[in-house]
């Protein structure tokens, strides 16, 4: 390759690059300004504000059955899904001894009763003799005292026998209510205790046709929740079947898990077909509020950066009008509801980009209701293209000259 070619080839390539850059910067930047941004008018939409929550099912009237005595499970008479009646024997507990205490206290009671009968008879005889002045007052009072002592001994023996009987009867676990066994928690030969946490032998549901839905509502959403609001619920086993219910109660006690706080809300569901089972996971959508045909803006417009808007105004050679803090405070004081949030947006006007405040109502996470600040004919800036690195490069290059 000759020396001339070696010199001319790089110059030619540089000229081509400069020409492309010149076209890219001047033609593209002057004729493609509309592509730098997008605008849209406020929309009329129906907004549904909802709360999504998960929870679990619990049979209404669920009772955990424990034992009043510690020991070993001797016999079990009921199994899962079995229907039982009130008073029916469910289990027997071995406390390490038979009913010997019951028998011993029974014999002690009989002895006390016999001694009491004898003492009363002696007293009656001594009373007659005393009335005839045949014995001294001291002998009479001793007989009276012995009778009272034996009567007290009878009452004490009765109490001991009753205590022994109750303790023995507690080894026999009976159903406190009629219902269905939904869980058997122990096996024969297993040790049970009355100390915390006490052993649960059985869990009984009094009525499986009515279920309680226990929902965990995030603390950020609990303020919008009200008793009577409607919820749509689905279950993993019935993904295409929607169950409807209403919020029955909202608990004040917090549920703390891994640094987050939630509150429990209760919904009652009818389960006549017995499709639902205790412990099932519930996915609920709660309708908090609904507004029809209201003025709305998309939520992503609130994320537009101020510096980006200023950049756009410079590119368009428009004036850039920011909202002052005094104007913002005045707007907030004039709002229809002081608790409504106020945000600012950017609108495109002839030769001007202006920041304006708007008062917001409900939202569905995608769109926000506008209750004040817009007429409906504003051109709202919804997106601005980020500055292109090639634009910046050629702007610096050609602003200095080649």
């Amino acid at each position: 390759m000759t020396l001339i070619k070696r010199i001319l080839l790089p110059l030619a390539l540089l000229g081509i690059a400069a020409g492309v850059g010149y076209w890219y910067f001047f033609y593209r930047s002057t004729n493609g300004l509309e592509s730098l941004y997008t605008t849209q008018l406020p929309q009329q939409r129906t907004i549904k504000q909802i709360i999504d929550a998960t929870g679990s099912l619990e049979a209404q009237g669920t009772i955990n059955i424990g034992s009043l005595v510690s020991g070993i499970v001797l016999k079990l008479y009921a199994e899962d899904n079995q229907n039982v009646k009130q008073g029916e024997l469910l289990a027997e507990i071995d406390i390490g001894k038979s009913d010997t205490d019951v028998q011993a206290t029974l014999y002690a009671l009989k002895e006390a009763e016999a001694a009491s009968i004898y003492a009363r008879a002696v007293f009656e005889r001594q009373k007659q003799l005393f009335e005839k002045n045949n014995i001294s007052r001291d002998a009479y009072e001793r007989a009276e005292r012995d009778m009272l002592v034996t009567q007290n001994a009878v009452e004490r023996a009765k109490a001991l026998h009753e205590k022994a009987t109750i303790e023995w009867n507690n080894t026999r676990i009976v159903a406190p209510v009629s219902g269905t066994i939904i869980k058997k928690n122990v096996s024969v030969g297993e040790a049970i205790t009355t100390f915390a946490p006490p052993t649960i032998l059985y869990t009984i549901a009094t009525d499986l046709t009515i279920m309680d839905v226990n929902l965990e509502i995030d603390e950020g959403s609990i303020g919008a929740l009200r008793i009577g609001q409607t919820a749509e619920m689905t279950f993993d086993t019935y993904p295409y079947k929607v169950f409807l219910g209403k919020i029955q109660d909202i608990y004040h006690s917090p549920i703390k898990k891994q640094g987050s706080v939630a509150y429990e809300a209760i919904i009652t569901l009818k389960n006549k077909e017995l499709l639902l089972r205790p412990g099932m996971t519930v996915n609920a959508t709660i309708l908090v509020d609904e507004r029809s045909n209201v003025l709305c803006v998309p939520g992503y417009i609130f994320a537009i950066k101020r510096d980006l808007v200023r950049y756009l105004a410079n590119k368009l050679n428009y004036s850039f009008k920011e909202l002052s803090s005094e104007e913002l405070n005045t707007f907030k004081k004039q709002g229809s509801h002081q608790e409504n949030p106020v945000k600012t947006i950017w609108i495109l006007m002839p030769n001007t980009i202006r920041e304006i405040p708007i008062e917001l109502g409900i939202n569905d996470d995608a769109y926000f209701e506008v209750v004040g600040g817009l007429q409906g004919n504003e051109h709202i800036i919804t997106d601005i293209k980020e500055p292109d690195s090639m634009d910046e490069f050629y702007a610096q290059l050609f602003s200095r000259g080649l």
Side-chain angles (χ1 to χ4, degrees):
M1 182 180 293
T2 66
L3 179 62
I4 296 176
K5 289 183 178 181
R6 291 179 180 177
I7 296 174
L8 291 179
L9 182 58
L11 290 176
L13 293 176
L14 180 63
I16 293 172
V20 171
Y22 182 87
W23 173 87
Y24 184 89
F25 177 70
F26 287 103
Y27 179 82
R28 184 175 179 273
S29 61
T30 55
N31 293 284
L33 293 178
E34 289 85 2
S35 65
L36 294 177
Y37 65 93
T38 57
T39 64
Q40 71 176 43
L41 297 174
Q43 302 179 24
Q44 298 283 340
R45 300 176 65 93
T46 294
I47 291 186
K48 294 182 178 181
Q49 185 174 359
I50 62 174
I51 295 175
D52 291 322
T54 59
S56 61
L57 275 182
E58 182 179 310
Q60 198 172 76
T62 299
I63 298 174
N64 290 324
I65 301 176
S67 173
L68 294 175
V69 296
S70 299
I72 304 296
V73 177
L74 184 63
K75 293 181 180 179
L76 292 172
Y77 297 99
E79 299 296 331
D80 288 331
N81 299 324
Q82 181 177 331
N83 293 324
V84 295
K85 295 186 178 297
Q86 183 177 9
E88 184 175 337
L89 182 62
L90 303 179
E92 292 185 23
I93 309 299
D94 182 5
I95 58 175
K97 56 184 177 181
S98 60
D99 62 345
T100 53
D101 286 349
V102 176
Q103 298 298 327
T105 55
L106 177 60
Y107 294 140
L109 174 59
K110 291 180 178 180
E111 290 177 359
E113 288 175 340
S116 178
I117 293 172
Y118 175 76
R120 172 168 288 279
V122 171
F123 170 72
E124 293 296 338
R125 291 194 298 269
Q126 296 292 81
K127 181 180 179 181
Q128 293 176 4
L129 294 174
F130 177 71
E131 289 174 349
K132 296 178 180 179
N133 295 320
N134 290 331
I135 62 173
S136 66
R137 174 172 292 275
D138 182 64
Y140 168 74
E141 291 178 351
R142 282 201 307 270
E144 184 179 27
R145 182 202 59 190
D146 292 343
M147 179 187 67
L148 294 176
V149 168
T150 56
Q151 288 177 349
N152 291 336
V154 169
E155 296 302 320
R156 184 168 59 254
K158 284 182 179 180
L160 292 174
H161 179 62
E162 183 177 354
K163 177 184 177 183
T165 302
I166 292 174
E167 289 178 350
W168 175 249
N169 289 339
N170 286 339
T171 64
R172 297 168 59 85
I173 310 301
V174 299
V177 294
S178 298
T180 303
I181 302 291
I182 59 175
K183 189 174 184 181
K184 184 183 75 171
N185 299 290
V186 295
S187 302
V188 172
E190 186 174 338
I192 63 171
T193 179
T194 58
F195 299 104
T199 305
I200 303 300
L201 280 73
Y202 290 100
T203 301
I204 291 182
T206 58
D207 189 358
L208 288 176
T209 63
I210 302 177
M211 307 291 283
D212 281 340
V213 180
N214 301 325
L215 295 177
E216 292 187 6
I217 310 297
D218 184 79
E219 63 175 327
S221 303
I222 195 66
L225 197 65
R226 298 289 184 273
I227 292 176
Q229 289 171 342
T230 300
E232 295 182 351
M233 291 161 285
T234 59
F235 300 86
D236 292 342
T237 190
Y238 307 114
Y240 305 109
K241 185 176 180 63
V242 177
F243 297 79
L244 297 178
K246 292 184 180 295
I247 301 294
Q248 303 290 329
D249 204 354
I250 305 170
Y251 294 162
H252 290 87
S253 178
I255 302 171
K256 297 182 179 181
K257 291 182 178 179
Q258 299 178 344
S260 64
V261 178
Y263 294 86
E264 193 172 32
I266 305 298
I267 297 175
T268 300
L269 274 183
K270 294 183 178 179
N271 188 33
K272 293 183 178 180
E273 299 177 359
L274 299 181
L275 297 176
L276 306 176
R277 297 169 181 263
M280 282 185 171
T281 300
V282 185
N283 300 302
T285 299
I286 305 166
L287 180 62
V288 173
D289 203 348
E290 182 176 5
R291 309 280 172 82
S292 300
N293 198 32
V294 293
L295 208 61
C296 299
V297 293
Y300 56 80
I301 66 173
F302 303 125
I304 296 178
K305 298 178 181 178
R306 186 176 302 272
D307 290 342
L308 202 56
V309 180
R310 184 181 287 107
Y311 161 80
L312 176 64
N314 291 335
K315 293 289 288 186
L316 298 176
N317 199 24
Y318 281 12
S319 61
F320 178 70
K321 299 293 184 182
E322 293 183 272
L323 187 70
S324 68
S325 57
E326 292 80 9
E327 291 173 321
L328 181 60
N329 290 332
T330 300
F331 180 83
K332 289 181 177 180
K333 293 177 181 178
Q334 296 172 347
S336 59
H337 297 284
Q338 294 297 320
E339 68 272 12
N340 282 345
V342 172
K343 290 185 176 292
T344 62
I345 60 173
W346 300 93
I347 62 172
L348 190 68
M349 304 174 67
N351 300 316
T352 302
I353 295 178
R354 180 181 295 276
E355 183 182 22
I356 65 169
I358 58 174
E359 181 184 355
L360 303 178
I362 68 171
N363 71 86
D364 60 5
D365 292 334
Y367 287 87
F368 287 72
E369 176 195 15
V370 179
V371 298
L374 289 181
Q375 299 298 320
N377 58 355
E378 295 87 350
H379 291 272
I380 302 171
I381 296 177
T382 58
D383 189 28
I384 300 175
K385 185 179 179 181
E386 294 280 353
D388 191 283
S389 59
M390 290 297 293
D391 285 343
E392 298 299 321
F393 170 75
Y394 286 117
Q396 295 178 12
L397 180 65
F398 291 107
S399 64
R400 296 193 301 265
L402 291 173

